[in-house]
Amino acid sequence: MTLADLGWNSFFADAFAALPANDWVPARLIRESPINYGAFLEDGEEIDVVLSGKVWHDAKNDADLPAVGDWVAVSVGGDNEDYVIRARLPRQSCFSRKMPGKSAEEQVIGANIDIVTVVTDAGEDFNPRRMERYFTLIQRSGAKPVVLLNKADLYPKKQNQEASEILQQLSPDASIHITSALHNTGLKVLLAHLKRGTTMCIVGSSGVGKSTLVNQLYGEDWQWTDDVNEVTGKGRHTTTSRELVPLPKRGLIIDNPGMREIQMWTDEQTLRESFADVDDIALHCRFQDCKHGNDAGCAIRAAVTAGKLDPARLDSYLRLDDEIEKLRRRQKKRQINTERRAKRDHRVKARNLNDRIQLEADEIGLMRHGDDSDLD
Ligand code: GDP
Ligand code: ZN
Protein backbone atom coordinates (compact mmCIF):
# COMPACT_ATOMS: atom_id res chain seq x y z
CA MET A 1 0.00 0.00 0.00
CA THR A 2 1.18 3.52 -0.76
CA LEU A 3 -0.11 6.92 0.33
CA ALA A 4 -1.88 7.28 -3.03
CA ASP A 5 -3.71 3.99 -2.45
CA LEU A 6 -4.95 5.47 0.82
CA GLY A 7 -6.28 8.60 -0.88
CA TRP A 8 -3.30 10.94 -0.59
CA ASN A 9 -3.10 13.61 -3.31
CA SER A 10 -1.50 16.98 -4.04
CA PHE A 11 -4.10 18.79 -1.92
CA PHE A 12 -2.98 16.92 1.20
CA ALA A 13 0.68 16.93 0.17
CA ASP A 14 0.65 20.74 -0.11
CA ALA A 15 -1.05 21.10 3.28
CA PHE A 16 1.45 18.71 4.81
CA ALA A 17 4.41 20.55 3.28
CA ALA A 18 3.13 23.80 4.75
CA LEU A 19 3.36 22.46 8.32
CA PRO A 20 6.30 23.74 10.41
CA ALA A 21 9.53 21.76 9.94
CA ASN A 22 9.37 18.52 11.92
CA ASP A 23 9.76 14.77 11.63
CA TRP A 24 6.05 14.02 11.47
CA VAL A 25 4.58 11.58 8.98
CA PRO A 26 1.16 11.51 7.32
CA ALA A 27 -1.43 8.97 8.45
CA ARG A 28 -5.08 8.37 7.63
CA LEU A 29 -7.57 7.76 10.44
CA ILE A 30 -9.51 4.55 10.06
CA ARG A 31 -11.25 4.26 13.40
CA GLU A 32 -12.08 6.35 16.42
CA SER A 33 -12.86 5.42 19.97
CA PRO A 34 -13.30 7.52 23.07
CA ILE A 35 -9.63 7.03 24.01
CA ASN A 36 -7.69 6.85 20.78
CA TYR A 37 -7.73 6.48 17.01
CA GLY A 38 -6.62 3.82 14.61
CA ALA A 39 -4.66 4.91 11.56
CA PHE A 40 -2.82 3.64 8.51
CA LEU A 41 0.73 4.74 7.86
CA GLU A 42 2.20 5.03 4.38
CA ASP A 43 3.25 1.38 4.19
CA GLY A 44 -0.20 0.23 5.29
CA GLU A 45 0.94 -0.46 8.85
CA GLU A 46 -1.97 -0.11 11.26
CA ILE A 47 -1.21 1.92 14.37
CA ASP A 48 -2.98 3.37 17.41
CA VAL A 49 -2.65 7.12 17.81
CA VAL A 50 -3.62 9.55 20.51
CA LEU A 51 -4.53 13.18 20.16
CA SER A 52 -2.01 15.80 21.28
CA GLY A 53 -3.22 18.28 23.86
CA LYS A 54 -2.57 21.07 21.41
CA VAL A 55 -4.85 19.69 18.69
CA TRP A 56 -7.52 19.10 21.32
CA HIS A 57 -7.26 22.64 22.67
CA ASP A 58 -7.02 24.31 19.29
CA ALA A 59 -10.25 22.65 18.09
CA LYS A 60 -13.02 25.24 18.10
CA ASN A 61 -15.72 22.57 18.39
CA ASP A 62 -16.30 18.85 17.99
CA ALA A 63 -16.47 19.10 14.22
CA ASP A 64 -12.95 20.51 14.23
CA LEU A 65 -11.47 17.41 15.88
CA PRO A 66 -9.98 14.65 13.75
CA ALA A 67 -12.54 12.10 12.53
CA VAL A 68 -12.49 8.87 10.56
CA GLY A 69 -11.23 9.57 7.06
CA ASP A 70 -9.09 12.54 8.09
CA TRP A 71 -5.47 12.88 7.14
CA VAL A 72 -3.29 13.80 10.10
CA ALA A 73 0.38 14.44 10.83
CA VAL A 74 1.70 12.11 13.52
CA SER A 75 4.93 12.06 15.43
CA VAL A 76 6.41 8.60 15.31
CA GLY A 77 6.56 6.90 18.67
CA GLY A 78 9.89 5.61 19.96
CA ASP A 79 10.12 2.85 22.56
CA ASN A 80 7.11 2.94 24.89
CA GLU A 81 5.96 6.09 23.22
CA ASP A 82 2.61 6.58 21.59
CA TYR A 83 2.08 7.83 18.10
CA VAL A 84 0.63 11.29 18.58
CA ILE A 85 -1.58 13.34 16.25
CA ARG A 86 0.18 16.70 15.90
CA ALA A 87 -2.09 18.27 13.30
CA ARG A 88 -5.19 17.56 11.24
CA LEU A 89 -4.87 18.39 7.57
CA PRO A 90 -7.68 20.36 5.91
CA ARG A 91 -10.60 18.33 4.55
CA GLN A 92 -11.53 17.98 0.90
CA SER A 93 -15.02 16.93 1.87
CA CYS A 94 -16.83 16.31 5.09
CA PHE A 95 -19.98 14.39 5.87
CA SER A 96 -21.62 15.68 9.00
CA ARG A 97 -24.91 15.97 10.73
CA LYS A 98 -26.25 18.08 13.52
CA MET A 99 -26.45 16.21 16.79
CA PRO A 100 -30.01 15.24 17.58
CA GLY A 101 -31.43 17.67 20.11
CA LYS A 102 -28.42 19.92 20.41
CA SER A 103 -29.00 21.82 17.23
CA ALA A 104 -25.79 23.83 17.38
CA GLU A 105 -23.46 20.82 17.61
CA GLU A 106 -22.14 19.31 14.47
CA GLN A 107 -20.88 15.76 14.33
CA VAL A 108 -18.49 14.63 11.61
CA ILE A 109 -19.45 11.20 10.34
CA GLY A 110 -16.69 10.84 7.79
CA ALA A 111 -14.04 13.08 6.29
CA ASN A 112 -12.58 13.08 2.79
CA ILE A 113 -15.27 10.92 1.25
CA ASP A 114 -15.15 11.25 -2.53
CA ILE A 115 -18.25 9.31 -3.45
CA VAL A 116 -21.48 8.60 -1.64
CA THR A 117 -23.35 5.70 -3.16
CA VAL A 118 -27.02 5.64 -2.27
CA VAL A 119 -28.57 2.23 -2.76
CA THR A 120 -32.31 2.13 -3.37
CA ASP A 121 -34.66 0.39 -5.80
CA ALA A 122 -37.41 1.25 -8.27
CA GLY A 123 -40.08 -0.42 -6.14
CA GLU A 124 -40.64 -0.78 -2.43
CA ASP A 125 -37.86 1.56 -1.36
CA PHE A 126 -38.36 4.19 -4.04
CA ASN A 127 -39.02 7.61 -2.54
CA PRO A 128 -37.98 10.71 -4.52
CA ARG A 129 -38.51 12.96 -1.51
CA ARG A 130 -36.11 10.97 0.59
CA MET A 131 -33.65 10.90 -2.30
CA GLU A 132 -33.84 14.68 -2.46
CA ARG A 133 -32.71 14.74 1.17
CA TYR A 134 -29.81 12.47 0.37
CA PHE A 135 -28.81 14.65 -2.56
CA THR A 136 -28.83 17.74 -0.36
CA LEU A 137 -26.69 16.05 2.27
CA ILE A 138 -24.23 14.75 -0.31
CA GLN A 139 -23.97 18.06 -2.07
CA ARG A 140 -23.27 19.79 1.22
CA SER A 141 -20.51 17.30 2.00
CA GLY A 142 -18.64 17.98 -1.21
CA ALA A 143 -18.79 14.33 -2.31
CA LYS A 144 -20.09 13.05 -5.62
CA PRO A 145 -23.49 11.32 -5.60
CA VAL A 146 -23.89 7.90 -7.16
CA VAL A 147 -27.24 6.13 -7.05
CA LEU A 148 -27.82 2.45 -7.56
CA LEU A 149 -31.35 1.40 -8.44
CA ASN A 150 -30.71 -2.08 -7.15
CA LYS A 151 -32.79 -5.27 -7.35
CA ALA A 152 -33.38 -4.46 -11.01
CA ASP A 153 -34.17 -8.16 -11.52
CA LEU A 154 -37.36 -7.70 -9.49
CA TYR A 155 -38.86 -4.88 -11.55
CA PRO A 156 -39.80 -4.38 -15.19
CA LYS A 157 -37.19 -2.63 -17.29
CA LYS A 158 -39.55 0.29 -17.86
CA GLN A 159 -40.06 0.82 -14.13
CA ASN A 160 -36.30 0.90 -13.50
CA GLN A 161 -35.83 3.28 -16.40
CA GLU A 162 -38.55 5.66 -15.23
CA ALA A 163 -37.23 5.68 -11.68
CA SER A 164 -33.80 6.52 -13.04
CA GLU A 165 -35.18 9.44 -15.05
CA ILE A 166 -37.06 10.85 -12.05
CA LEU A 167 -33.91 10.79 -9.93
CA GLN A 168 -31.79 12.24 -12.70
CA GLN A 169 -34.13 15.20 -12.86
CA LEU A 170 -33.82 15.69 -9.10
CA SER A 171 -30.04 15.70 -9.31
CA PRO A 172 -28.49 16.28 -12.72
CA ASP A 173 -24.97 15.73 -11.27
CA ALA A 174 -25.74 12.29 -9.91
CA SER A 175 -24.58 9.15 -11.67
CA ILE A 176 -27.50 6.79 -11.66
CA HIS A 177 -27.13 3.12 -12.42
CA ILE A 178 -29.50 0.20 -12.61
CA THR A 179 -27.99 -2.81 -10.86
CA SER A 180 -28.62 -6.19 -9.39
CA ALA A 181 -26.13 -6.79 -6.62
CA LEU A 182 -27.44 -10.28 -6.08
CA HIS A 183 -26.69 -11.32 -9.66
CA ASN A 184 -23.63 -9.11 -9.94
CA THR A 185 -25.00 -7.22 -12.93
CA GLY A 186 -24.36 -3.55 -13.60
CA LEU A 187 -21.79 -3.28 -10.82
CA LYS A 188 -18.82 -2.71 -13.14
CA VAL A 189 -19.80 0.97 -13.28
CA LEU A 190 -18.81 1.29 -9.64
CA LEU A 191 -15.29 0.21 -10.46
CA ALA A 192 -15.20 3.01 -13.02
CA HIS A 193 -16.02 5.48 -10.22
CA LEU A 194 -13.50 3.92 -7.87
CA LYS A 195 -10.10 5.23 -8.87
CA ARG A 196 -6.96 4.51 -6.93
CA GLY A 197 -7.41 6.04 -3.47
CA THR A 198 -11.07 6.95 -3.96
CA THR A 199 -13.02 6.82 -0.71
CA MET A 200 -16.63 5.78 -0.97
CA CYS A 201 -19.40 5.27 1.51
CA ILE A 202 -22.59 3.36 0.90
CA VAL A 203 -25.88 4.47 2.41
CA GLY A 204 -29.52 3.47 2.03
CA SER A 205 -32.39 1.77 3.82
CA SER A 206 -31.80 -1.56 5.45
CA GLY A 207 -32.60 -4.44 3.12
CA VAL A 208 -31.79 -2.66 -0.16
CA GLY A 209 -28.66 -4.71 -0.79
CA LYS A 210 -25.72 -2.77 0.66
CA SER A 211 -24.02 -5.80 2.21
CA THR A 212 -24.60 -7.83 -0.94
CA LEU A 213 -22.96 -5.03 -2.92
CA VAL A 214 -19.96 -4.85 -0.61
CA ASN A 215 -19.52 -8.61 -0.79
CA GLN A 216 -19.42 -8.32 -4.56
CA LEU A 217 -16.87 -5.53 -4.40
CA TYR A 218 -14.72 -7.71 -2.22
CA GLY A 219 -15.12 -10.59 -4.59
CA GLU A 220 -15.34 -12.92 -1.66
CA ASP A 221 -17.57 -13.43 1.31
CA TRP A 222 -16.92 -10.38 3.38
CA GLN A 223 -19.76 -9.26 5.60
CA TRP A 224 -20.29 -5.60 6.18
CA THR A 225 -21.16 -5.95 9.83
CA ASP A 226 -19.26 -6.13 13.06
CA ASP A 227 -20.69 -9.48 14.02
CA VAL A 228 -18.35 -11.85 15.72
CA ASN A 229 -17.36 -14.92 13.79
CA GLU A 230 -18.97 -17.88 15.49
CA VAL A 231 -16.26 -20.30 14.45
CA THR A 232 -13.14 -18.47 15.49
CA GLY A 233 -14.67 -16.07 18.01
CA LYS A 234 -12.81 -13.31 16.20
CA GLY A 235 -14.28 -10.60 14.05
CA ARG A 236 -14.54 -11.42 10.38
CA HIS A 237 -11.12 -10.95 8.92
CA THR A 238 -9.39 -8.31 10.94
CA THR A 239 -11.63 -5.49 9.93
CA THR A 240 -13.98 -5.60 12.91
CA SER A 241 -13.35 -2.19 14.35
CA ARG A 242 -12.15 -0.48 11.23
CA GLU A 243 -14.48 2.07 9.75
CA LEU A 244 -12.30 2.77 6.74
CA VAL A 245 -11.31 -0.32 4.80
CA PRO A 246 -9.24 -0.63 1.61
CA LEU A 247 -10.93 -2.63 -1.13
CA PRO A 248 -8.91 -5.44 -2.71
CA LYS A 249 -8.72 -3.89 -6.19
CA ARG A 250 -8.56 -0.18 -5.47
CA GLY A 251 -10.39 2.43 -3.46
CA LEU A 252 -11.58 2.45 0.12
CA ILE A 253 -14.92 2.07 1.82
CA ILE A 254 -15.98 4.04 4.85
CA ASP A 255 -18.73 2.63 7.01
CA ASN A 256 -19.73 3.55 10.53
CA PRO A 257 -22.86 3.68 12.66
CA GLY A 258 -23.41 7.35 11.86
CA MET A 259 -23.61 6.51 8.17
CA ARG A 260 -26.30 3.98 8.89
CA GLU A 261 -28.36 6.50 10.85
CA ILE A 262 -28.48 8.86 7.92
CA GLN A 263 -31.35 6.95 6.44
CA MET A 264 -33.51 7.25 9.54
CA TRP A 265 -32.73 10.92 9.68
CA THR A 266 -33.63 11.53 6.05
CA ASP A 267 -36.92 9.67 6.53
CA GLU A 268 -37.86 11.84 9.48
CA GLN A 269 -37.03 15.01 7.62
CA THR A 270 -38.99 13.78 4.63
CA LEU A 271 -42.03 13.14 6.78
CA ARG A 272 -41.80 16.58 8.37
CA GLU A 273 -41.38 18.22 5.00
CA SER A 274 -44.36 16.40 3.60
CA PHE A 275 -46.43 18.54 5.98
CA ALA A 276 -44.83 21.80 4.92
CA ASP A 277 -48.13 23.06 3.47
CA VAL A 278 -49.85 22.61 6.85
CA ASP A 279 -46.91 24.29 8.57
CA ASP A 280 -47.39 27.24 6.23
CA ILE A 281 -51.03 27.60 7.21
CA ALA A 282 -50.10 27.30 10.90
CA LEU A 283 -47.95 30.42 10.50
CA HIS A 284 -51.20 32.36 10.28
CA CYS A 285 -52.63 31.08 13.58
CA ARG A 286 -53.12 33.96 15.99
CA PHE A 287 -51.03 32.36 18.74
CA GLN A 288 -47.58 31.00 18.11
CA ASP A 289 -48.19 28.05 20.42
CA CYS A 290 -51.60 27.27 18.89
CA LYS A 291 -52.55 23.64 19.42
CA HIS A 292 -55.04 23.86 16.53
CA GLY A 293 -57.78 22.61 18.86
CA ASN A 294 -60.31 25.14 20.07
CA ASP A 295 -57.74 27.92 20.17
CA ALA A 296 -59.04 31.29 19.06
CA GLY A 297 -57.90 32.49 15.66
CA CYS A 298 -56.66 29.08 14.50
CA ALA A 299 -55.87 29.32 10.81
CA ILE A 300 -55.75 25.56 10.41
CA ARG A 301 -59.25 24.96 11.72
CA ALA A 302 -60.39 27.81 9.52
CA ALA A 303 -58.79 26.13 6.53
CA VAL A 304 -60.57 22.87 7.35
CA THR A 305 -63.91 24.69 7.71
CA ALA A 306 -63.32 26.46 4.42
CA GLY A 307 -62.68 23.08 2.78
CA LYS A 308 -59.09 24.04 1.98
CA LEU A 309 -57.53 21.38 4.18
CA ASP A 310 -58.53 17.75 4.41
CA PRO A 311 -59.51 16.96 8.02
CA ALA A 312 -57.75 13.58 7.69
CA ARG A 313 -54.57 15.39 6.77
CA LEU A 314 -54.92 17.67 9.78
CA ASP A 315 -55.35 14.54 11.86
CA SER A 316 -52.07 13.06 10.63
CA TYR A 317 -50.41 16.42 11.08
CA LEU A 318 -51.46 16.51 14.71
CA ARG A 319 -50.08 13.00 15.05
CA LEU A 320 -46.80 13.80 13.29
CA ASP A 321 -44.70 12.87 16.31
CA ASP A 322 -46.62 9.59 16.55
CA GLU A 323 -45.95 9.01 12.86
CA ILE A 324 -42.24 9.54 13.38
CA GLU A 325 -42.28 7.17 16.33
CA LYS A 326 -44.09 4.58 14.18
CA LEU A 327 -41.51 5.09 11.45
CA ARG A 328 -38.70 4.46 13.93
CA ARG A 329 -40.37 1.27 15.07
CA ARG A 330 -40.88 0.10 11.50
CA GLN A 331 -37.25 0.78 10.67
CA LYS A 332 -36.09 -0.95 13.81
CA LYS A 333 -38.14 -4.00 12.90
CA ARG A 334 -36.75 -4.03 9.39
CA GLN A 335 -33.25 -3.72 10.75
CA ILE A 336 -33.78 -6.60 13.18
CA ASN A 337 -35.20 -8.78 10.41
CA THR A 338 -32.24 -8.06 8.16
CA GLU A 339 -29.79 -8.77 10.96
CA ARG A 340 -31.59 -11.95 11.86
CA ARG A 341 -31.42 -13.10 8.25
CA ALA A 342 -27.72 -12.27 8.05
CA LYS A 343 -27.06 -14.15 11.29
CA ARG A 344 -28.96 -17.16 10.03
CA ASP A 345 -27.02 -17.16 6.76
CA HIS A 346 -23.86 -16.83 8.75
CA ARG A 347 -24.77 -19.70 11.06
CA VAL A 348 -25.36 -21.96 8.09
CA LYS A 349 -21.98 -20.99 6.67
CA ALA A 350 -20.34 -21.48 10.04
CA ARG A 351 -21.87 -24.94 10.32
CA ASN A 352 -20.67 -25.88 6.85
CA LEU A 353 -17.22 -24.61 7.72
CA ASN A 354 -17.30 -26.57 10.95
CA ASP A 355 -18.19 -29.71 9.06
CA ARG A 356 -15.34 -29.09 6.66
CA ILE A 357 -12.87 -28.50 9.46
CA GLN A 358 -14.07 -31.68 11.16
CA LEU A 359 -13.68 -33.57 7.90
CA GLU A 360 -10.16 -32.24 7.39
CA ALA A 361 -9.31 -33.00 10.99
CA ASP A 362 -10.54 -36.54 10.50
CA GLU A 363 -8.40 -36.89 7.40
CA ILE A 364 -5.33 -35.52 9.15
CA GLY A 365 -6.13 -37.78 12.09
CA LEU A 366 -6.18 -40.74 9.76
CA MET A 367 -2.83 -39.74 8.26
CA ARG A 368 -1.32 -39.26 11.71
CA HIS A 369 -2.60 -42.59 12.67
CA GLY A 370 -0.96 -44.03 9.61
CA ASP A 371 2.30 -42.19 10.41
CA ASP A 372 2.21 -43.43 13.96
CA SER A 373 1.81 -46.98 12.95
CA ASP A 374 4.72 -46.55 10.53
CA LEU A 375 6.88 -45.40 13.40
CA ASP A 376 5.82 -48.27 15.57
P1 GDP B 1 -28.64 -4.31 3.36
O1 GDP B 1 -29.49 -4.33 4.59
O2 GDP B 1 -28.81 -3.05 2.59
O3 GDP B 1 -27.20 -4.61 3.62
O4 GDP B 1 -29.22 -5.46 2.39
P2 GDP B 1 -28.67 -6.93 2.10
O5 GDP B 1 -27.44 -6.88 1.26
O6 GDP B 1 -28.57 -7.66 3.39
O7 GDP B 1 -29.83 -7.53 1.21
C1 GDP B 1 -31.13 -7.75 1.72
C2 GDP B 1 -31.78 -8.86 0.92
O8 GDP B 1 -31.97 -8.44 -0.41
C3 GDP B 1 -30.94 -10.13 0.88
O9 GDP B 1 -31.80 -11.24 0.99
C4 GDP B 1 -30.29 -10.06 -0.49
O10 GDP B 1 -30.02 -11.35 -1.01
C5 GDP B 1 -31.37 -9.36 -1.31
N1 GDP B 1 -30.82 -8.65 -2.45
C6 GDP B 1 -29.73 -7.83 -2.48
N2 GDP B 1 -29.51 -7.38 -3.72
C7 GDP B 1 -30.46 -7.91 -4.52
C8 GDP B 1 -30.77 -7.83 -5.92
O11 GDP B 1 -30.10 -7.15 -6.71
N3 GDP B 1 -31.87 -8.51 -6.36
C9 GDP B 1 -32.62 -9.26 -5.51
N4 GDP B 1 -33.67 -9.92 -6.04
N5 GDP B 1 -32.37 -9.38 -4.21
C10 GDP B 1 -31.30 -8.71 -3.70
ZN1 ZN C 1 -53.89 26.83 14.92
Side-chain angles (χ1 to χ4, degrees), residues 1-302:
M1 203 148 39
T2 67
L3 281 180
D5 292 325
L6 289 170
W8 187 255
N9 58 32
S10 60
F11 174 85
F12 300 117
D14 289 350
F16 188 78
L19 291 173
N22 55 63
D23 55 0
W24 304 339
V25 296
R28 189 154 191 209
L29 300 182
I30 58 172
R31 158 173 56 79
E32 57 182 305
S33 81
I35 26 175
N36 63 8
Y37 293 87
F40 278 138
L41 293 177
E42 173 162 22
D43 54 3
E45 187 194 345
E46 201 172 323
I47 55 162
D48 286 333
V49 272
V50 293
L51 203 55
S52 70
K54 180 166 169 27
V55 175
W56 167 263
H57 284 296
D58 287 351
K60 286 191 284 292
N61 49 43
D62 279 3
D64 227 14
L65 288 169
V68 170
D70 264 326
W71 280 99
V72 292
V74 302
S75 54
V76 182
D79 293 343
N80 301 323
E81 257 184 77
D82 283 328
Y83 288 94
V84 180
I85 298 175
R86 299 296 176 183
R88 173 176 70 71
L89 302 187
R91 293 167 177 148
Q92 264 191 320
S93 70
C94 174
F95 222 96
S96 68
R97 64 168 291 186
K98 298 262 189 272
M99 298 278 237
K102 295 182 265 175
S103 59
E105 282 225 43
E106 194 184 1
Q107 176 191 28
V108 175
I109 296 169
N112 301 316
I113 295 174
D114 304 298
I115 295 174
V116 178
T117 295
V118 188
V119 185
T120 180
D121 63 31
E124 209 186 315
D125 192 60
F126 191 68
N127 182 337
R129 246 197 197 116
R130 191 208 293 141
M131 289 304 294
E132 224 165 11
R133 279 260 130 218
Y134 274 123
F135 288 139
T136 310
L137 274 175
I138 298 168
Q139 196 187 25
R140 221 174 51 199
S141 78
K144 178 182 164 47
V146 172
V147 179
L148 301 188
L149 282 160
N150 194 40
K151 303 195 180 183
D153 54 299
L154 296 183
Y155 307 105
K157 208 171 171 180
K158 189 158 171 272
Q159 189 172 340
N160 290 323
Q161 206 51 52
E162 278 170 5
S164 162
E165 280 157 21
I166 290 169
L167 296 185
Q168 192 70 79
Q169 268 175 4
L170 283 182
S171 174
D173 318 332
S175 299
I176 300 166
H177 308 288
I178 295 168
T179 63
S180 176
L182 188 63
H183 302 291
N184 200 356
T185 49
L187 296 182
K188 275 224 178 75
V189 289
L190 267 187
L191 289 178
H193 289 294
L194 283 169
K195 304 268 179 324
R196 187 177 180 208
T198 301
T199 304
M200 175 171 77
C201 72
I202 302 174
V203 297
S205 318
S206 74
V208 288
K210 298 184 297 296
S211 320
T212 311
L213 168 68
V214 172
N215 287 347
Q216 298 285 16
L217 288 176
Y218 268 81
E220 56 175 302
D221 190 32
W222 184 87
Q223 292 284 317
W224 202 34
T225 68
D226 43 21
D227 265 10
V228 166
N229 185 309
E230 290 172 47
V231 175
T232 61
K234 290 182 190 158
R236 293 194 189 93
H237 292 204
T238 49
T239 56
T240 4
S241 61
R242 278 189 203 156
E243 298 177 357
L244 180 78
V245 188
L247 286 166
K249 272 204 175 121
R250 57 179 182 267
L252 306 104
I253 282 191
I254 206 166
D255 170 40
N256 63 29
M259 284 292 164
R260 293 177 200 178
E261 276 168 20
I262 283 177
Q263 189 252 332
M264 167 113 82
W265 185 71
T266 53
D267 274 355
E268 263 183 43
Q269 295 293 313
T270 307
L271 194 57
R272 282 187 199 283
E273 273 171 17
S274 67
F275 285 103
D277 56 328
V278 191
D279 270 340
D280 282 349
I281 302 175
L283 286 177
H284 300 288
C285 292
R286 184 177 305 158
F287 301 107
Q288 231 181 354
D289 59 348
C290 183
K291 299 278 181 294
H292 321 303
N294 297 318
D295 317 52
C298 176
I300 287 191
R301 292 228 89 87

